[in-house]
């Protein structure tokens, strides 16, 4: 059963009518953990704001729980939880007061839906009298999630919830999402972090307001069409310059302490690696390492983005 559907959803800004969301279409199934993955400016937040009825679309349409985002905004607002990217709770109210306020807005009580937030709230309950503005990033995140859940939503929208949060809190947050998903809550989360994409059931990779690919993380990785090599040398800048000049290079970029270089699959893995290493040795680079490596979601995103940019130029 599809909980969310988008059909050519479009949003433009400014007198120039620049599209922030460009005819986007996809669907999300009930109980699915779906990720919108892309950098700042990709259109993720605009999609979230339209699906939560904060923004009106300029084209196309969308439904949430079968309700139209324009006509049925009241029904949607009462059945979804929304955690915006920027902390938006009342900084002068305490943890306890913020949670009570949001429960009252939705005509419910903390006690009635406490089972939904128990695992999260127990981590911040010792500080329940502390003002929200004085909380750490991880604690603010947990409080915001509690407030988004307190009215028992069927769909949860989380816009870049882990941006600026420490690695331990990021890990804890995704463990919380797994437990919420087990309660059959549909979760749509946006993130610029490619490592978080692998934690979703399905993902949509976005750039410039368009969908580049939608599939499971495993299927997106397995569809990578080229041979990928990790390459290292004594001088990184010289290495990057050299692989960019190599005739068989499709894409190349820094990836941690290595450069990732994609070569045509038709060359054959062993022969392609040996030829690349031999060519690089002739440029004067030393301490060379060249070996095949498995593509990540980030490699796939870079590949799709470069293809998208090349297509836009033509």
């Amino acid at each position: 059963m599809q909980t969310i559907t988008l059909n050519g959803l479009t949003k433009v800004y400014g007198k120039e009518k620049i599209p922030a969301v460009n005819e986007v279409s996809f669907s999300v199934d009930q109980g699915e953990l779906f990720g919108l993955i892309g950098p700042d400016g990709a259109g993720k937040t605009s999609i979230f704001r339209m699906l939560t009825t904060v923004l009106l679309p300029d084209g196309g349409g969308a439904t949430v729980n079968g309700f139209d985002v324009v006509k049925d905004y009241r029904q949607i607002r009462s059945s979804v939880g929304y955690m915006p990217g920027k902390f938006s709770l009342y900084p002068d109210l305490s943890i306890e007061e913020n949670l009570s306020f949001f429960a009252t807005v939705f005509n419910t009580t903390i006690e009635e839906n406490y089972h939904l937030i128990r695992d999260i709230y127990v981590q911040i309950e010792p500080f329940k009298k502390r003002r929200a503005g004085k909380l750490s990033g991880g604690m603010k995140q947990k409080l915001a999630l509690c407030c988004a859940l307190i009215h028992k939503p069927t769909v949860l929208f989380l816009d870049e919830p882990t941006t600026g949060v420490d690695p331990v809190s990021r890990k804890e947050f995704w463990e919380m999402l797994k437990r919420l998903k087990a309660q059959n809550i549909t979760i749509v989360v946006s993130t610029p972090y490619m490592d978080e994409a692998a934690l979703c059931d399905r993902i949509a990779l976005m750039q410039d307001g368009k969908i580049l690919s939608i599939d499971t993380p495993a299927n997106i990785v397995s569809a990578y069409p080229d041979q990928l090599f990790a390459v290292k040398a004594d001088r990184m800048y010289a290495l990057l310059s050299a692989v960019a000049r190599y005739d068989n290079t499709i894409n190349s970029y820094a990836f941690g302490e290595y450069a990732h270089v994609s070569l045509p699959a038709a060359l054959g893995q062993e022969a392609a690696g040996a030829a690349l290493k031999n060519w690089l040795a002739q440029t004067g680079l030393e301490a060379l390492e060249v070996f095949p490596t498995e593509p990540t979601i980030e490699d796939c995103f870079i590949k799709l983005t470069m293809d998208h940019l090349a297509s836009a130029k033509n």
Side-chain angles (χ1 to χ4, degrees), residues 220-259:
I220 286 177
V221 169
S222 65
Y224 191 82
D226 309 322
Q227 294 186 95
L228 190 65
F229 290 87
V231 185
K232 192 176 181 181
D234 58 336
R235 290 169 290 144
M236 174 59 84
Y237 182 77
L239 172 64
L240 290 170
S241 298
V243 293
R245 297 194 307 269
Y246 185 53
D247 287 342
N248 289 325
T249 297
I250 299 172
N251 292 319
S252 61
Y253 42 89
F255 200 93
E257 60 181 327
Y258 290 89

Short mmCIF file of all heavy atoms in Angstrom, two decimals, residues 220-259:
data_model
loop_
_atom_site.label_atom_id
_atom_site.label_comp_id
_atom_site.label_asym_id
_atom_site.label_seq_id
_atom_site.Cartn_x
_atom_site.Cartn_y
_atom_site.Cartn_z
N ILE A 220 21.34 0.06 -6.31
CA ILE A 220 22.04 1.22 -6.90
C ILE A 220 23.53 0.94 -7.00
O ILE A 220 24.16 1.23 -8.02
CB ILE A 220 21.76 2.48 -6.07
CG1 ILE A 220 20.32 2.97 -6.33
CG2 ILE A 220 22.75 3.60 -6.40
CD1 ILE A 220 19.89 4.16 -5.53
N VAL A 221 24.10 0.34 -5.96
CA VAL A 221 25.53 0.02 -5.99
C VAL A 221 25.83 -1.04 -7.05
O VAL A 221 26.82 -0.93 -7.80
CB VAL A 221 26.00 -0.45 -4.59
CG1 VAL A 221 27.40 -1.05 -4.67
CG2 VAL A 221 25.98 0.71 -3.61
N SER A 222 24.98 -2.07 -7.13
CA SER A 222 25.24 -3.15 -8.09
C SER A 222 25.08 -2.69 -9.53
O SER A 222 25.60 -3.34 -10.45
CB SER A 222 24.30 -4.33 -7.82
OG SER A 222 22.95 -3.97 -8.06
N ALA A 223 24.38 -1.57 -9.75
CA ALA A 223 24.18 -1.05 -11.11
C ALA A 223 25.33 -0.17 -11.59
O ALA A 223 25.31 0.31 -12.72
CB ALA A 223 22.87 -0.26 -11.18
N TYR A 224 26.34 0.04 -10.72
CA TYR A 224 27.49 0.87 -11.12
C TYR A 224 28.13 0.26 -12.36
O TYR A 224 28.55 -0.91 -12.34
CB TYR A 224 28.49 0.94 -9.97
CG TYR A 224 29.58 1.98 -10.17
CD1 TYR A 224 29.35 3.31 -9.87
CD2 TYR A 224 30.84 1.63 -10.67
CE1 TYR A 224 30.34 4.27 -10.03
CE2 TYR A 224 31.83 2.57 -10.84
CZ TYR A 224 31.57 3.89 -10.52
OH TYR A 224 32.56 4.84 -10.69
N PRO A 225 28.23 1.00 -13.46
CA PRO A 225 28.56 0.37 -14.75
C PRO A 225 30.05 0.22 -15.06
O PRO A 225 30.42 -0.52 -15.98
CB PRO A 225 27.92 1.33 -15.76
CG PRO A 225 28.02 2.67 -15.10
CD PRO A 225 27.87 2.42 -13.63
N ASP A 226 30.92 0.91 -14.31
CA ASP A 226 32.33 0.94 -14.66
C ASP A 226 33.17 0.09 -13.70
O ASP A 226 32.66 -0.42 -12.71
CB ASP A 226 32.85 2.39 -14.63
CG ASP A 226 31.98 3.33 -15.44
OD1 ASP A 226 31.51 2.92 -16.51
OD2 ASP A 226 31.76 4.48 -14.99
N GLN A 227 34.46 -0.03 -14.02
CA GLN A 227 35.41 -0.63 -13.08
C GLN A 227 35.99 0.49 -12.23
O GLN A 227 36.42 1.51 -12.75
CB GLN A 227 36.55 -1.31 -13.84
CG GLN A 227 36.10 -2.51 -14.65
CD GLN A 227 37.30 -3.22 -15.24
OE1 GLN A 227 37.80 -4.18 -14.68
NE2 GLN A 227 37.76 -2.74 -16.39
N LEU A 228 35.99 0.27 -10.91
CA LEU A 228 36.46 1.31 -10.00
C LEU A 228 37.76 0.87 -9.34
O LEU A 228 37.87 -0.26 -8.84
CB LEU A 228 35.40 1.59 -8.94
CG LEU A 228 35.64 2.81 -8.05
CD1 LEU A 228 35.61 4.10 -8.86
CD2 LEU A 228 34.60 2.87 -6.93
N PHE A 229 38.74 1.77 -9.34
CA PHE A 229 40.04 1.49 -8.73
C PHE A 229 40.36 2.54 -7.67
O PHE A 229 40.06 3.73 -7.84
CB PHE A 229 41.15 1.50 -9.79
CG PHE A 229 41.09 0.33 -10.73
CD1 PHE A 229 40.31 0.38 -11.87
CD2 PHE A 229 41.81 -0.83 -10.46
CE1 PHE A 229 40.24 -0.69 -12.74
CE2 PHE A 229 41.75 -1.91 -11.33
CZ PHE A 229 40.97 -1.85 -12.47
N ALA A 230 40.97 2.08 -6.58
CA ALA A 230 41.53 2.98 -5.58
C ALA A 230 43.01 3.14 -5.90
O ALA A 230 43.72 2.15 -6.12
CB ALA A 230 41.34 2.41 -4.18
N VAL A 231 43.47 4.38 -5.93
CA VAL A 231 44.84 4.66 -6.34
C VAL A 231 45.48 5.59 -5.32
O VAL A 231 44.86 6.54 -4.83
CB VAL A 231 44.87 5.33 -7.74
CG1 VAL A 231 46.31 5.51 -8.21
CG2 VAL A 231 44.07 4.51 -8.76
N LYS A 232 46.75 5.31 -5.00
CA LYS A 232 47.48 6.11 -4.03
C LYS A 232 48.90 6.33 -4.54
O LYS A 232 49.46 5.47 -5.21
CB LYS A 232 47.49 5.42 -2.67
CG LYS A 232 47.96 6.27 -1.50
CD LYS A 232 47.84 5.48 -0.20
CE LYS A 232 48.27 6.30 1.00
NZ LYS A 232 48.18 5.52 2.26
N ALA A 233 49.48 7.46 -4.23
CA ALA A 233 50.86 7.76 -4.62
C ALA A 233 51.49 8.70 -3.60
O ALA A 233 50.83 9.13 -2.65
CB ALA A 233 50.91 8.37 -6.02
N ASP A 234 52.75 9.05 -3.82
CA ASP A 234 53.46 9.90 -2.87
C ASP A 234 52.97 11.34 -2.89
O ASP A 234 53.15 12.08 -1.94
CB ASP A 234 54.97 9.84 -3.13
CG ASP A 234 55.34 10.26 -4.55
OD1 ASP A 234 54.47 10.14 -5.44
OD2 ASP A 234 56.50 10.68 -4.77
N ARG A 235 52.35 11.76 -4.00
CA ARG A 235 51.86 13.14 -4.12
C ARG A 235 50.42 13.12 -4.64
O ARG A 235 50.18 12.80 -5.79
CB ARG A 235 52.76 13.93 -5.07
CG ARG A 235 54.15 14.22 -4.52
CD ARG A 235 55.07 14.77 -5.58
NE ARG A 235 55.43 13.76 -6.58
CZ ARG A 235 55.59 14.00 -7.87
NH1 ARG A 235 55.38 15.23 -8.35
NH2 ARG A 235 55.93 13.04 -8.69
N MET A 236 49.47 13.48 -3.77
CA MET A 236 48.05 13.36 -4.13
C MET A 236 47.65 14.31 -5.27
O MET A 236 46.97 13.92 -6.21
CB MET A 236 47.17 13.61 -2.91
CG MET A 236 45.66 13.65 -3.21
SD MET A 236 45.01 12.13 -3.98
CE MET A 236 44.71 11.14 -2.51
N TYR A 237 48.06 15.58 -5.18
CA TYR A 237 47.65 16.54 -6.21
C TYR A 237 48.18 16.12 -7.58
O TYR A 237 47.46 16.18 -8.58
CB TYR A 237 48.14 17.95 -5.86
CG TYR A 237 47.70 18.99 -6.88
CD1 TYR A 237 46.40 19.47 -6.89
CD2 TYR A 237 48.60 19.46 -7.84
CE1 TYR A 237 45.98 20.40 -7.83
CE2 TYR A 237 48.20 20.39 -8.79
CZ TYR A 237 46.88 20.86 -8.78
OH TYR A 237 46.48 21.77 -9.72
N ALA A 238 49.44 15.70 -7.61
CA ALA A 238 50.02 15.25 -8.88
C ALA A 238 49.31 13.99 -9.38
O ALA A 238 49.11 13.82 -10.59
CB ALA A 238 51.51 14.99 -8.70
N LEU A 239 48.91 13.14 -8.44
CA LEU A 239 48.18 11.92 -8.82
C LEU A 239 46.84 12.26 -9.45
O LEU A 239 46.48 11.72 -10.51
CB LEU A 239 47.97 11.04 -7.59
CG LEU A 239 47.06 9.82 -7.77
CD1 LEU A 239 47.66 8.83 -8.77
CD2 LEU A 239 46.82 9.13 -6.43
N LEU A 240 46.10 13.17 -8.83
CA LEU A 240 44.79 13.56 -9.37
C LEU A 240 44.93 14.19 -10.76
O LEU A 240 44.11 13.94 -11.65
CB LEU A 240 44.09 14.52 -8.41
CG LEU A 240 43.60 13.93 -7.09
CD1 LEU A 240 43.14 15.03 -6.14
CD2 LEU A 240 42.48 12.93 -7.32
N SER A 241 45.96 15.00 -10.93
CA SER A 241 46.21 15.61 -12.24
C SER A 241 46.55 14.55 -13.28
O SER A 241 46.09 14.62 -14.43
CB SER A 241 47.36 16.62 -12.14
OG SER A 241 47.03 17.66 -11.25
N ALA A 242 47.32 13.55 -12.86
CA ALA A 242 47.74 12.51 -13.80
C ALA A 242 46.57 11.63 -14.24
O ALA A 242 46.39 11.36 -15.43
CB ALA A 242 48.84 11.66 -13.16
N VAL A 243 45.75 11.17 -13.27
CA VAL A 243 44.65 10.27 -13.65
C VAL A 243 43.62 11.02 -14.49
O VAL A 243 42.94 10.42 -15.34
CB VAL A 243 43.98 9.63 -12.42
CG1 VAL A 243 44.94 8.68 -11.73
CG2 VAL A 243 43.45 10.67 -11.45
N ALA A 244 43.48 12.34 -14.29
CA ALA A 244 42.56 13.12 -15.11
C ALA A 244 43.02 13.17 -16.57
O ALA A 244 42.20 13.30 -17.48
CB ALA A 244 42.42 14.54 -14.55
N ARG A 245 44.34 13.05 -16.80
CA ARG A 245 44.88 13.09 -18.16
C ARG A 245 44.91 11.72 -18.83
O ARG A 245 45.10 11.62 -20.03
CB ARG A 245 46.32 13.65 -18.15
CG ARG A 245 46.45 15.08 -17.65
CD ARG A 245 47.82 15.66 -17.99
NE ARG A 245 48.90 14.80 -17.51
CZ ARG A 245 49.48 14.91 -16.31
NH1 ARG A 245 49.02 15.82 -15.44
NH2 ARG A 245 50.48 14.13 -15.97
N TYR A 246 44.72 10.68 -18.05
CA TYR A 246 44.78 9.31 -18.59
C TYR A 246 43.63 9.08 -19.56
O TYR A 246 42.47 9.35 -19.25
CB TYR A 246 44.74 8.31 -17.43
CG TYR A 246 44.92 6.87 -17.83
CD1 TYR A 246 46.02 6.46 -18.58
CD2 TYR A 246 44.00 5.91 -17.42
CE1 TYR A 246 46.19 5.12 -18.92
CE2 TYR A 246 44.16 4.57 -17.74
CZ TYR A 246 45.26 4.19 -18.49
OH TYR A 246 45.42 2.86 -18.83
N ASP A 247 43.93 8.57 -20.74
CA ASP A 247 42.94 8.46 -21.82
C ASP A 247 41.72 7.63 -21.44
O ASP A 247 40.61 7.92 -21.90
CB ASP A 247 43.59 7.87 -23.08
CG ASP A 247 44.51 8.86 -23.77
OD1 ASP A 247 44.38 10.07 -23.49
OD2 ASP A 247 45.35 8.43 -24.58
N ASN A 248 41.91 6.59 -20.63
CA ASN A 248 40.80 5.68 -20.31
C ASN A 248 39.97 6.11 -19.10
O ASN A 248 38.99 5.46 -18.76
CB ASN A 248 41.34 4.26 -20.07
CG ASN A 248 41.82 3.61 -21.35
OD1 ASN A 248 41.24 3.83 -22.42
ND2 ASN A 248 42.89 2.81 -21.26
N THR A 249 40.38 7.20 -18.44
CA THR A 249 39.66 7.64 -17.24
C THR A 249 38.27 8.17 -17.60
O THR A 249 38.13 9.05 -18.46
CB THR A 249 40.44 8.73 -16.50
OG1 THR A 249 41.68 8.19 -16.04
CG2 THR A 249 39.65 9.25 -15.30
N ILE A 250 37.26 7.62 -16.95
CA ILE A 250 35.89 8.12 -17.11
C ILE A 250 35.62 9.20 -16.06
O ILE A 250 35.19 10.30 -16.37
CB ILE A 250 34.86 6.98 -16.97
CG1 ILE A 250 35.10 5.93 -18.07
CG2 ILE A 250 33.43 7.53 -17.04
CD1 ILE A 250 34.26 4.68 -17.88
N ASN A 251 35.89 8.88 -14.80
CA ASN A 251 35.77 9.83 -13.70
C ASN A 251 36.93 9.62 -12.74
O ASN A 251 37.42 8.48 -12.59
CB ASN A 251 34.46 9.64 -12.91
CG ASN A 251 33.23 10.00 -13.71
OD1 ASN A 251 33.24 11.00 -14.43
ND2 ASN A 251 32.17 9.21 -13.59
N SER A 252 37.35 10.67 -12.06
CA SER A 252 38.38 10.53 -11.03
C SER A 252 38.19 11.64 -10.00
O SER A 252 37.82 12.77 -10.35
CB SER A 252 39.79 10.60 -11.63
OG SER A 252 40.00 11.84 -12.27
N TYR A 253 38.45 11.32 -8.73
CA TYR A 253 38.24 12.28 -7.66
C TYR A 253 38.91 11.76 -6.39
O TYR A 253 39.17 10.56 -6.24
CB TYR A 253 36.74 12.51 -7.39
CG TYR A 253 35.93 11.23 -7.42
CD1 TYR A 253 35.75 10.46 -6.27
CD2 TYR A 253 35.37 10.77 -8.61
CE1 TYR A 253 35.03 9.28 -6.30
CE2 TYR A 253 34.65 9.59 -8.65
CZ TYR A 253 34.48 8.85 -7.50
OH TYR A 253 33.77 7.66 -7.53
N ALA A 254 39.21 12.68 -5.48
CA ALA A 254 39.79 12.30 -4.19
C ALA A 254 38.72 11.59 -3.36
O ALA A 254 37.56 11.99 -3.33
CB ALA A 254 40.30 13.53 -3.46
N PHE A 255 39.15 10.54 -2.66
CA PHE A 255 38.23 9.77 -1.82
C PHE A 255 39.02 9.35 -0.59
O PHE A 255 39.64 8.29 -0.56
CB PHE A 255 37.71 8.55 -2.59
CG PHE A 255 36.44 7.97 -2.02
CD1 PHE A 255 35.20 8.36 -2.51
CD2 PHE A 255 36.48 7.03 -1.00
CE1 PHE A 255 34.03 7.81 -2.00
CE2 PHE A 255 35.33 6.50 -0.48
CZ PHE A 255 34.09 6.88 -0.99
N GLY A 256 39.01 10.21 0.43
CA GLY A 256 39.85 9.95 1.60
C GLY A 256 41.31 10.06 1.23
O GLY A 256 41.73 11.00 0.55
N GLU A 257 42.12 9.09 1.63
CA GLU A 257 43.55 9.12 1.33
C GLU A 257 43.86 8.57 -0.05
O GLU A 257 45.02 8.57 -0.48
CB GLU A 257 44.33 8.34 2.38
CG GLU A 257 43.96 6.87 2.49
CD GLU A 257 44.76 6.14 3.56
OE1 GLU A 257 45.94 6.51 3.76
OE2 GLU A 257 44.21 5.22 4.18
N TYR A 258 42.84 8.11 -0.76
CA TYR A 258 43.01 7.55 -2.10
C TYR A 258 42.32 8.44 -3.14
O TYR A 258 41.52 9.32 -2.81
CB TYR A 258 42.41 6.14 -2.18
CG TYR A 258 43.19 5.11 -1.41
CD1 TYR A 258 42.91 4.86 -0.06
CD2 TYR A 258 44.21 4.38 -2.01
CE1 TYR A 258 43.63 3.91 0.66
CE2 TYR A 258 44.93 3.41 -1.31
CZ TYR A 258 44.63 3.19 0.03
OH TYR A 258 45.35 2.26 0.72
N ALA A 259 42.65 8.19 -4.39
CA ALA A 259 41.86 8.70 -5.50
C ALA A 259 41.04 7.54 -6.03
O ALA A 259 41.53 6.41 -6.09
CB ALA A 259 42.77 9.25 -6.60
#
